[in-house]
Amino acid sequence: MTIYRSRVLDTPGDLGDPEGLRSDQDCALVVADDGVILARTGIEAARRDHPDHPVVDLRDGILMPGMVDAHVHFPQVRIIGGLGMALLDWLARCALPEEERLADVAHAGEIAQEFLSGLVQSGTTTALVFGSHFPEAMEVLFAQAQQVGLRMTSGLVVSDRILPEPLLTTPTQALDVGRALAERWHGQGRLRYAVTPRFSLSASQQMLESCGALFREGGGPSEELWFTSHVNENPVEIEEVRRLFPEARDYVDTYDRHGLLGPRSVLAHNVHPAAAELERMGQTRTAAAHCPTSNFSLGSGLFPLRQHLAAGVPVALGSDVGAGTGFSLFQEGLQAYFGQRLLGAEGVQLAPSDLLHLSTRSGALALGLAETVGDLSAGRQFDAVLVRPGAGGTLETVLRHARDPQDVVAKLFSLGSPADIDTVWIGGERVVSGASHLQEPR
């Protein structure tokens, strides 16, 4: 058992709650050996109740929940920064050629290490990961994620048309390989499996039918699989999906008619939804992963957060990564804030605490993990990030002059970066120390 003493910030309530930011200036978190937070209390009470256990003094930093990334692509870490293109052009010129390279297992291993390192060094402890088209690459990713300890939900990406031939499979192969991967990895430690058609543009009716079969089949009565894909990212994409699925009511319906919507489903982007699509997502509790920097970089548009929330659609943040600006959810939160400001009266005027919520608890809610992670309450796992800016830097300077806890969070999201992440714990285990590197696999 260990007692962590620090300033602690988290958002255990609802998104948009003006009183939702919980700030304890000198807080003691009592963490059991299995990573569960046993108590959140004052230091004197913690010492009195647990006199024989060590105290780790972190008061020179700020302790926050580990961040939750609701949409991030495994193969795309080396293509960050491909500017000047719209979605389909960027896919053809940047993303898909890089994804073909993961057919080489050794290369996939290098990418997996770089990808996982990028996530955890940015303070991300839980992620819904868009995987690879190659089963061998997925084996490598799952194995390395298990070694690191990341809470990861991911799966084989499947397509049967439009993409380059090496990235294609058949509906039958997709079902067989997906089933085998799910049987091997779903529920192993902190890992879960997600059925993952790339998007309806590259997945035929038959492929989506196969995905629906695997999703319904699940991983056992208490270990259901997850589903993720893309939707409504770019107007040209949307028109092509409409042409390819003339019988579907809309883009969301291409998934819905195969039983792929529900509280274990996350659709990325959804920049241009119709009212009926939002209504259906709200009815089924299908979440949307908002990826601001990617949407801005590709010129996809401004995310209609107000309409999502009004329809009861759960929303969390994703870095997307390849088309975005990196793994940092500080950056995504800031850009989400800017996007809503630009929408004026149509936008949601986000408070700083909302950015923290979107980066932590919102993601935990979207991924069905809110009873496990997302805030630092008693009963949660100790998935935590210590922000400790370098002395004399701008972030350290402005934090010393912050007016109140909301202003502290505003400054963290305005100026924070992976360089300011000092230590990361997942389930009580330290996976990043001194912002240096991943620990050796356990």
Side-chain angles (χ1 to χ4, degrees), residues 222-306:
S222 62
E223 290 289 345
E224 296 93 346
L225 302 185
W226 282 71
F227 165 75
T228 191
S229 193
H230 299 93
V231 73
N232 290 324
E233 185 175 359
N234 173 281
V236 176
E237 165 213 12
I238 294 167
E239 285 303 313
E240 186 63 9
V241 169
R242 183 175 290 118
R243 185 186 70 80
L244 291 169
F245 292 87
E247 71 292 337
R249 184 186 66 233
D250 46 46
Y251 202 151
V252 167
D253 189 50
T254 64
Y255 302 122
D256 193 15
R257 60 181 46 237
H258 296 290
L260 292 167
L261 301 188
R264 289 178 285 110
S265 302
V266 180
L267 292 175
H269 303 298
N270 209 32
V271 182
H272 304 284
E277 291 178 296
L278 290 173
E279 180 181 9
R280 185 59 181 152
M281 289 177 69
Q283 289 171 346
T284 58
R285 299 299 292 168
T286 297
H290 174 30
C291 307
T293 69
S294 172
N295 296 159
F296 295 164
S297 175
L298 297 175
S300 298
L302 297 170
F303 182 74
L305 178 59
R306 181 179 297 281

Side-chain angles (χ1 to χ4, degrees), residues 285-368:
R285 299 299 292 168
T286 297
H290 174 30
C291 307
T293 69
S294 172
N295 296 159
F296 295 164
S297 175
L298 297 175
S300 298
L302 297 170
F303 182 74
L305 178 59
R306 181 179 297 281
Q307 290 91 322
H308 280 75
L309 298 180
V313 179
V315 176
L317 285 181
S319 65
D320 204 23
V321 79
T325 58
F327 293 100
S328 175
L329 291 184
F330 281 139
Q331 181 67 243
E332 298 300 333
L334 179 64
Q335 295 301 315
Y337 171 83
F338 289 159
Q340 295 306 302
R341 296 286 290 179
L342 287 172
L343 282 168
E346 292 298 312
V348 176
Q349 302 310 301
L350 295 167
S353 55
D354 294 326
L355 308 186
L356 180 57
H357 196 291
L358 284 166
S359 304
T360 55
R361 182 161 169 78
S362 289
L365 287 164
L367 297 185

Side-chain angles (χ1 to χ4, degrees), residues 114-412:
E114 294 165 358
F115 172 77
L116 295 167
S117 179
L119 279 176
V120 297
Q121 290 192 46
S122 297
T124 296
T125 56
T126 299
L128 177 56
V129 174
F130 221 82
S132 168
H133 288 266
F134 300 103
E136 297 80 7
M138 290 307 304
E139 293 280 1
V140 169
L141 176 64
F142 277 122
Q144 290 198 23
Q146 186 174 54
Q147 290 178 325
V148 170
L150 186 74
R151 294 186 198 280
M152 186 182 78
T153 305
S154 187
L156 181 75
V157 181
V158 296
S159 296
D160 61 347
R161 64 183 178 191
I162 294 177
L163 303 187
E165 192 279 332
L167 302 180
L168 300 180
T169 187
T170 68
T172 299
Q173 289 173 328
L175 179 58
D176 291 344
V177 175
R179 182 185 291 123
L181 284 168
E183 288 175 352
R184 176 168 170 77
W185 293 108
H186 187 69
Q188 292 296 311
R190 299 173 185 141
L191 304 176
R192 302 185 304 187
Y193 193 83
V195 178
T196 312
R198 188 171 195 103
F199 51 0
S200 295
L201 192 67
S202 65
S204 68
Q205 290 273 15
Q206 293 74 24
M207 179 61 80
L208 293 176
E209 191 174 299
S210 166
C211 290
L214 181 56
F215 187 53
R216 290 188 297 275
E217 189 176 295
S222 62
E223 290 289 345
E224 296 93 346
L225 302 185
W226 282 71
F227 165 75
T228 191
S229 193
H230 299 93
V231 73
N232 290 324
E233 185 175 359
N234 173 281
V236 176
E237 165 213 12
I238 294 167
E239 285 303 313
E240 186 63 9
V241 169
R242 183 175 290 118
R243 185 186 70 80
L244 291 169
F245 292 87
E247 71 292 337
R249 184 186 66 233
D250 46 46
Y251 202 151
V252 167
D253 189 50
T254 64
Y255 302 122
D256 193 15
R257 60 181 46 237
H258 296 290
L260 292 167
L261 301 188
R264 289 178 285 110
S265 302
V266 180
L267 292 175
H269 303 298
N270 209 32
V271 182
H272 304 284
E277 291 178 296
L278 290 173
E279 180 181 9
R280 185 59 181 152
M281 289 177 69
Q283 289 171 346
T284 58
R285 299 299 292 168
T286 297
H290 174 30
C291 307
T293 69
S294 172
N295 296 159
F296 295 164
S297 175
L298 297 175
S300 298
L302 297 170
F303 182 74
L305 178 59
R306 181 179 297 281
Q307 290 91 322
H308 280 75
L309 298 180
V313 179
V315 176
L317 285 181
S319 65
D320 204 23
V321 79
T325 58
F327 293 100
S328 175
L329 291 184
F330 281 139
Q331 181 67 243
E332 298 300 333
L334 179 64
Q335 295 301 315
Y337 171 83
F338 289 159
Q340 295 306 302
R341 296 286 290 179
L342 287 172
L343 282 168
E346 292 298 312
V348 176
Q349 302 310 301
L350 295 167
S353 55
D354 294 326
L355 308 186
L356 180 57
H357 196 291
L358 284 166
S359 304
T360 55
R361 182 161 169 78
S362 289
L365 287 164
L367 297 185
L369 293 169
E371 297 302 312
T372 304
V373 298
D375 61 81
L376 294 173
S377 300
R380 305 284 190 259
Q381 286 280 314
F382 187 63
D383 284 21
V385 172
L386 181 69
V387 181
R388 184 186 276 152
T394 304
L395 178 57
E396 190 268 341
T397 297
V398 299
L399 285 173
R400 281 191 283 108
H401 297 282
R403 299 184 304 274
D404 54 34
Q406 286 279 0
D407 198 33
V408 169
V409 177
K411 289 169 174 24
L412 288 174

